[in-house]
Amino acid sequence: MEADYVIVGAGSAGCAVAYRLAEAGQSVLVIEHGGTDAGPFIQMPAALSYPMNMKRYDWGYQSEPEPHLNNRRLACPRGKVIGGSSSINGMVYVRGHAMDYDHWAEAGADGWGYADVLPYFKRMESWDANGHGGDPGWRGTDGPLHVTRGPRDNPLFSAFVEAGKQAGYEATDDYNGQKQEGFGPMEQTVHKGRRWSAANAYLKPALKRPNCDLVRGLVERVVIEDGRAVAVALAGGTQIRARREVILAASSINSPKILMLSGIGLAAHLAEHGIDVVADRPGVGANLQDHLELYIQMAAAQPITLYKHWNLFSKALIGAQWLFTGTGLGASNQFESAAFVRSRAGVPYPDIQYHFLPIAVRYDGQAAAEGHGFQAHVGPMRSPSRGAVTLRSGNPADDPVIRFNYMSTDEDWNDFRTCIRLTREIFAQDAFAPFVKHEIQPGAHVQSDAELDAFIAEHAESAYHPCGTCKMGAASDPMSVVDPQGQVIGVDGLRVVDSSVFPRITNGNLNGPSIMTGEKMADHILGRDPLARSNDQPWLHPDWETSQR
């Protein structure tokens, strides 16, 4: 088997690249270890807690014991299915803040400033405001990725936004438009009541072309001859040859693993595992970043939360309505209000994100014992902590070693305490007075810095946004793994195009930025001029230097 381009990984970025290369007439083979995304557990938005807890769809990775989080091993789900993590995620759509991308460019990723990437966000989107307002001039209307908003019927969604305004924060009608900062509606990758994954948006249309095909298999390494990537070796001995390029889009966990198994990484680490060094790039697997979050949970004074549906009978009714009509509670991820705020004066753009949910429940589907409740997921956006992905052995079947090194700086702890205290203030506003009974978690008795720190250490969870492990930057930077065109430095015919190339994590959920990266990298691969830069100027708080809100 061979093709012009061999793409490893049918996830958010890989699907976008496959679509654009196939559209341009190139022959493309996509290799995916996971299988089909057919079935209600993936396609029904409200069932989102199921696929990420199913071995069939998830690689099942865990971190090593995290020393600053009571030595807990934190889950690190990655999609093992067509669509990758876009088929098992929470379907929240966030572009990131303009200044995130300007930072990328300043850090050496030339051509990746906000003015450069905004046209790609527009190209990929098919945005539907559903009559809910928004920022049409900043959005795309005919791309493959459908983006919409939930109905926000539950009164708690509007109470959250109203409470934010009462606390003195900005409101925003479209955090993916000109103004990210503020409280407003949350967006989701849902179309006609179904999860709109990268598989649905990009891969399935691409596979309808005669020049694009999908191969199932576990990639063991990239075959490199005379400094050039020429093939991909699969478990079982098969090789798939690439006439032009091998493109890694296997996630921020598996892309660096495959590079290291192929002889690209820190030479001393490769030598430990008996791997011949092709390119000594110490940045491979380094620079690992993620978002952590806490659930601040309140018991509800009225039985209006989703808890009333937390029984088999009600779930069956919701499932049946969704199955036959594509409507109802099953057609939304239930994250329908959001906020981005700044933690203090002097921070130029938001560094805290909120997801609001009208039920008190864990991501793994465990409901709070209190019954009726609601919660805000809150966490800092730009932790200074950095971790690494390294090899456990030279055996491709072994999981890599994942060390996030969460909460390793004083700044992390200060930021999380601030998150808790700001959230309590929001829930104390008049807009929530009819709905709040008492605080479930952390609990009103948890007040001092030491008490908050103990709560954080025991309850902080990953938001499942790992990135950064194949950093994009200048070739002169020894920690760069790829150049701004995604080409692996020191090896010809090999690129990385997924979230592992992010120099620094972006604000919010990473599915949108990952797809955008695939879209833009496809133009680099095809040798096309990038889309014309945008002149749109994003909103910054006029008093950011002196005011927190």
Side-chain angles (χ1 to χ4, degrees):
M1 283 190 290
E2 65 174 35
D4 293 336
Y5 295 96
V6 177
I7 299 172
V8 178
S12 301
C15 290
V17 172
Y19 177 95
R20 295 300 177 189
L21 295 185
E23 178 185 60
Q26 307 296 319
S27 75
V28 180
L29 270 174
V30 184
I31 307 169
E32 172 56 49
H33 186 42
T36 176
D37 64 346
F41 285 127
I42 281 184
Q43 299 301 333
M44 176 173 153
L48 64 91
S49 67
Y50 291 98
M52 72 171 65
N53 290 292
M54 295 171 72
K55 270 291 191 190
R56 176 179 172 188
Y57 301 128
D58 172 28
W59 284 87
Y61 291 143
Q62 283 192 313
S63 77
E64 297 301 293
E66 287 288 339
H68 308 287
L69 294 177
N70 295 350
N71 284 313
R72 289 187 290 137
R73 288 178 176 267
L74 270 63
C76 181
R78 293 292 87 195
K80 187 177 68 175
V81 57
I82 62 163
S85 295
S86 77
S87 288
I88 68 168
N89 69 358
M91 289 155 284
V92 173
Y93 181 74
V94 183
R95 286 173 167 181
H97 193 278
M99 290 183 74
D100 290 327
Y101 299 102
D102 291 340
H103 175 271
W104 285 15
E106 289 158 15
D110 289 344
W112 289 84
Y114 185 63
D116 303 297
V117 303
L118 180 56
Y120 286 95
F121 279 116
K122 289 182 178 180
R123 181 171 87 176
M124 74 195 222
E125 286 177 355
S126 192
W127 180 73
D128 176 14
N130 272 341
H132 295 319
D135 241 349
W138 288 68
R139 309 305 296 271
T141 55
D142 51 6
L145 187 74
H146 286 277
V147 178
T148 186
R149 298 176 175 184
R152 302 174 83 211
D153 292 334
N154 192 303
L156 290 166
F157 289 124
S158 51
F160 181 69
V161 175
E162 193 56 38
K165 292 193 284 191
Q166 288 173 354
Y169 291 102
E170 295 287 324
T172 179
D173 201 27
D174 188 354
Y175 63 72
N176 284 316
Q178 183 176 28
K179 179 182 182 181
Q180 187 189 69
E181 184 168 337
F183 283 67
M186 188 157 245
E187 299 197 330
Q188 49 188 267
T189 47
V190 172
H191 180 50
K192 295 183 177 173
R194 289 174 64 211
R195 173 192 290 273
W196 204 246
S197 65
N200 285 332
Y202 288 96
L203 185 64
K204 290 171 187 176
L207 291 173
K208 289 178 180 164
R209 296 178 180 272
N211 55 330
C212 184
D213 215 342
L214 183 67
V215 179
R216 191 166 179 184
L218 175 67
V219 171
E220 294 195 334
R221 63 188 174 92
V222 179
V223 180
I224 298 165
E225 295 174 357
D226 300 323
R228 182 175 189 84
V230 296
V232 172
L234 303 186
T238 306
Q239 284 198 7
I240 298 178
R241 296 193 71 78
R243 290 188 288 266
R244 300 192 69 173
E245 290 188 15
V246 173
I247 298 163
L248 293 185
S251 84
S252 55
I253 307 301
N254 285 327
S255 288
K257 176 189 170 185
I258 292 168
L259 286 179
M260 288 184 277
L261 289 169
S262 309
I264 303 160
L266 178 65
H269 179 60
L270 302 183
E272 281 172 33
H273 297 293
I275 297 167
D276 293 337
V277 179
V278 172
D280 182 5
R281 299 307 303 178
V284 175
N287 194 45
L288 175 62
Q289 299 159 67
D290 191 16
H291 289 139
L292 278 179
E293 63 182 12
L294 288 167
Y295 309 156
I296 309 301
Q297 297 180 328
M298 311 299 284
Q302 300 182 41
I304 57 169
T305 76
L306 294 175
Y307 184 74
K308 60 176 172 267
H309 303 296
W310 214 251
N311 58 77
L312 281 175
F313 180 71
S314 200
K315 285 181 181 179
L317 282 179
I318 291 167
Q321 181 185 7
W322 177 84
L323 209 56
F324 293 113
T325 69
T327 62
L329 286 172
S332 170
N333 60 5
Q334 306 306 326
F335 290 115
E336 297 179 13
S337 283
F340 290 90
V341 302
R342 292 173 300 113
S343 60
R344 59 185 187 278
V347 175
Y349 70 105
D351 57 344
I352 294 173
Q353 179 187 18
Y354 286 102
H355 301 66
F356 180 79
L357 192 62
I359 186 172
V361 68
R362 287 168 49 93
Y363 235 141
D364 60 10
Q366 299 297 309
E370 297 268 355
H372 277 287
F374 49 89
Q375 67 193 31
H377 297 208
V378 64
M381 289 292 94
R382 294 187 289 282
S383 165
S385 291
R386 296 290 181 271
V389 174
T390 53
L391 293 177
R392 195 171 300 278
S393 75
N395 181 352
D398 286 348
D399 288 355
V401 176
I402 304 168
R403 284 194 180 89
F404 284 100
N405 197 29
Y406 293 121
M407 304 298 291
S408 59
T409 73
D410 289 343
E411 186 181 328
D412 288 309
W413 295 94
N414 287 330
D415 288 348
F416 251 114
R417 285 183 224 120
T418 300
C419 285
I420 296 171
R421 288 171 172 146
L422 293 177
T423 309
R424 284 172 160 168
E425 185 190 5
I426 291 160
F427 281 146
Q429 298 300 315
D430 287 347
F432 273 116
F435 305 117
V436 168
K437 190 172 166 189
H438 60 260
E439 184 177 301
I440 302 173
Q441 178 176 299
H445 61 287
V446 179
Q447 293 292 340
S448 70
D449 284 3
E451 288 165 341
L452 291 175
D453 288 352
F455 173 76
I456 294 161
E458 191 53 39
H459 293 280
E461 296 285 347
S462 171
Y464 310 141
H465 301 161
C467 64
T469 49
C470 300
K471 188 180 84 162
M472 172 169 58
S476 57
D477 178 354
M479 295 307 286
S480 295
V481 177
V482 301
D483 68 15
Q485 286 73 48
Q487 294 169 316
V488 174
I489 298 163
V491 181
D492 292 332
L494 180 61
R495 290 188 210 239
V496 185
V497 300
D498 58 23
S499 64
S500 54
V501 307
F502 294 6
R504 188 173 72 180
I505 198 165
T506 56
N507 267 13
N509 311 61
L510 299 192
N511 185 43
S514 299
I515 293 173
M516 179 280 294
T517 300
E519 281 269 12
K520 189 170 185 304
M521 286 296 191
D523 277 358
H524 294 308
I525 293 163
L526 290 165
R528 291 178 170 167
D529 289 335
L531 298 179
R533 300 183 78 217
S534 166
N535 294 317
D536 294 326
Q537 288 300 312
W539 186 91
L540 285 183
H541 197 295
D543 301 321
W544 68 265
E545 291 173 288
T546 55
S547 173
Q548 183 255 329
R549 62 188 84 170

